[in-house]
Every structure is written in C-alpha cells, then in structure tokens.
Amino acid sequence: MESIFLILATICYALGTVGYLVYLFREQDGVHRTAWTFLLAGAVLHGGAIVLRSVDRGHLAVTGSSEALSFFSWLLVVVYLIIQGRIGLRILGTFVSPLAVVFMLASRILPETILPSNAILRSTWVTIHVISLFSANALFAVAFCTAVMYLLQEREIKQKRFGLFFSRLPSLDRLDRIGRFCLLAGFPLMTAGLVTGFIYANSVWRSPWNWDPKEIFALITWCIYAVLLHERLAVGWRGRKAAWLAIFGFSAVLVTFLGVNLVFKGHHTVFIR
C-alpha cells in the first residue's frame, strides 16, 4: 500500500508543479487552486506512506538516502503549504514545487536500504533530532527559493527590463521578509536538532563530539546560518547579500545532507546508508 501511496504522491507533486508553472504564465484562481490541491493531495498520500513504512519498520523511516530524500520532499511540501496559507504568496509554489519533485524523483531512483530496527533508531532523541533538522532544512529550502526569486526580480529592476518575472514576482521587500522569517524559524530548529544529536551521541558513544564527517559538515552549515542570522539581526543585512548567503547556506545543507552520506563513513552510517 505504501508503494502505491508514494507513486500517487509523486504523480500529484508532478501535476502540482505543472499547474504552478502554468500559473506563472496564467494568473488565474482556478489554475492555482488546482495546483495547490494536487500538492495537498500529494502531501496527504506521502504522509500516509511515511507513517505506514515507519510503523512497519518500528522506527521513523529515514534510515537510507532514499527514505531521507522522500521525507525531506514531504516536509518541504508541508512547510510550503503552511507558509502559503499564512502569507498567501501563490507564486512561491512555482519555485518550491519543482524542488520537491526533484527530491522525490531522486528518492525513487536511489536504491532503498532497509536497516533492522534497534534501540538507537527507536530513540526519542533520534526522532526529535531528525524531525528538527529536516524541518529546518525545509525552511531553508523555501528561503533558497525566495532568494532566487529576489535575485530574478532585482535583475529585472536593475536592467529596467520589466518582463514576466517583474510582473509576477512580489516586491523585493516582501521576498526579503519571507527569507528572514524562514531563517528565524529554521535556525532554532537546526540548533535544537544539533543539540539533541550531541546529547544522544554522548549517551551512546560517551562523547557529544566524535569528529564524525556528518557532525563536522553539520557544524559548518550551522555556522553559515549563524553568520547570516547575526548579519541580518545585528548588522542589518538584507537584500542581495542576504539572498546570496541563503543560497550558499542551502548548498551547504545539500552537501551535509546528501554528499556526506554518499562519500564518507562514520557514526552516522549506523543510522543512514
């Protein structure tokens, strides 16, 4: 049943993405409503598949790169639907939904790795650690999308070439405020994810820090977002600089999230392969 749910969710995400791409060119309520409905249906089906798989495995189903990408794709859609419901920026779906489809398709391509359930994977600390970090990454992905939208809009304005993006994208100020909100919401979640990871590492390996490649890259990524948060709040950074650092930060997220899993071996190999 979960496989059917995943296939249907992928189809819904793809149809939602097509709808949002159409919405970029045809600003009609019906087009947006259809695209939004497909994304919502995909998220419901996808969530159901994750629950079924987690119950079957006896732990949260994120123990392989395939499952991790699938879980991240689901959270990205959920975070987008929540943000869309609060701010009503429909065009954001045109940039977020393709990203969700890419991660979902990648999860379908990568071979699935099934780890036997054990006490480590069933730990509440591990569950909080994973959900916090993945939620932060989803918010940073939305910040990445708003940063791209910001740079596109800024280029149209600077070049005085008032084309499609200028007419369809919101003001630079609004995009900057959305990116700032995602950072303010995502950074505490990322910090909570790292802290719970350190607490659990200390209980299992007798040390909160073990020079694990995942730990090192995660700390580097945290530092990047800490700099961005500091520069925004203390120095007053906004606009182009903040947009580029949001893009750089999400690139670091991808390296930590995917690259480290595929290249390096360490303690996290116990959790994800």
Side-chain angles (χ1 to χ4, degrees):
M1 181 62 74
E2 66 187 57
S3 298
I4 296 174
F5 279 6
L6 285 175
I7 292 171
L8 292 175
T10 305
I11 293 172
C12 285
Y13 289 163
L15 291 174
T17 298
V18 171
Y20 272 111
L21 291 176
V22 172
Y23 183 71
L24 177 64
F25 297 94
R26 299 183 63 181
E27 187 178 4
Q28 296 179 355
D29 290 342
V31 174
H32 172 261
R33 190 161 47 247
T34 303
W36 185 89
T37 302
F38 273 122
L39 281 192
L40 178 62
V44 171
L45 290 165
H46 198 170
I50 292 171
V51 169
L52 288 175
R53 179 167 293 189
S54 298
V55 170
D56 181 61
R57 302 277 169 81
H59 55 77
L60 187 61
V62 289
T63 55
S65 294
S66 172
E67 289 181 346
L69 280 171
S70 173
F71 189 68
F72 175 66
S73 175
W74 175 69
L75 271 180
L76 177 57
V77 173
V78 170
V79 166
Y80 163 71
L81 291 173
I82 293 172
I83 291 178
Q84 164 61 27
R86 290 184 61 84
I87 66 174
L89 182 58
R90 297 175 173 182
I91 198 65
L92 182 58
T94 304
F95 292 81
V96 173
S97 57
L99 205 57
V101 169
V102 168
F103 286 119
M104 192 64 179
L105 290 176
S107 76
R108 305 292 296 168
I109 293 172
L110 287 174
E112 290 191 13
T113 303
I114 301 176
L115 296 181
S117 185
N118 56 51
I120 292 178
L121 296 175
R122 292 193 298 271
S123 166
T124 303
W125 285 113
V126 171
T127 302
I128 296 173
H129 167 68
V130 169
I131 292 177
S132 299
L133 285 179
F134 275 63
S135 298
N137 290 345
L139 284 160
F140 294 149
V142 175
F144 164 81
C145 292
T146 59
V148 171
M149 293 165 72
Y150 183 98
L151 294 175
L152 287 171
Q153 182 70 299
E154 185 195 51
R155 189 183 65 174
E156 296 265 302
I157 294 172
K158 280 188 174 180
Q159 295 181 352
K160 297 182 179 179
R161 196 175 55 191
F162 306 123
L164 175 67
F165 287 120
F166 178 78
S167 63
R168 298 293 288 114
L169 297 182
S171 67
L172 294 178
D173 182 64
R174 190 178 186 193
L175 289 169
D176 189 72
R177 281 189 280 113
I178 297 170
R180 185 176 185 272
F181 166 78
C182 292
L183 176 64
L184 290 175
F187 188 76
L189 285 170
M190 172 182 261
T191 304
L194 291 182
V195 170
T196 51
F198 291 146
I199 291 173
Y200 192 71
N202 188 55
S203 67
V204 175
W205 297 301
R206 306 298 178 88
S207 172
W209 182 264
N210 298 279
W211 293 104
D212 182 87
K214 195 86 167 178
E215 292 176 348
I216 296 170
F217 279 89
L219 186 60
I220 292 172
T221 304
W222 183 88
C223 288
I224 292 171
Y225 280 104
V227 169
L228 177 55
L229 183 65
H230 175 270
E231 296 301 298
R232 269 191 173 274
L233 298 181
V235 183
W237 262 27
R238 54 181 299 166
R240 185 180 182 82
K241 284 183 180 178
W244 275 114
L245 196 51
I247 292 172
F248 179 66
F250 186 63
S251 302
V253 166
L254 293 180
V255 170
T256 304
F257 179 41
L258 297 175
V260 175
N261 290 345
L262 299 175
V263 176
F264 298 104
K265 301 293 183 185
H267 285 305
H268 276 80
T269 308
V270 175
F271 302 97
I272 185 166
R273 295 177 185 170

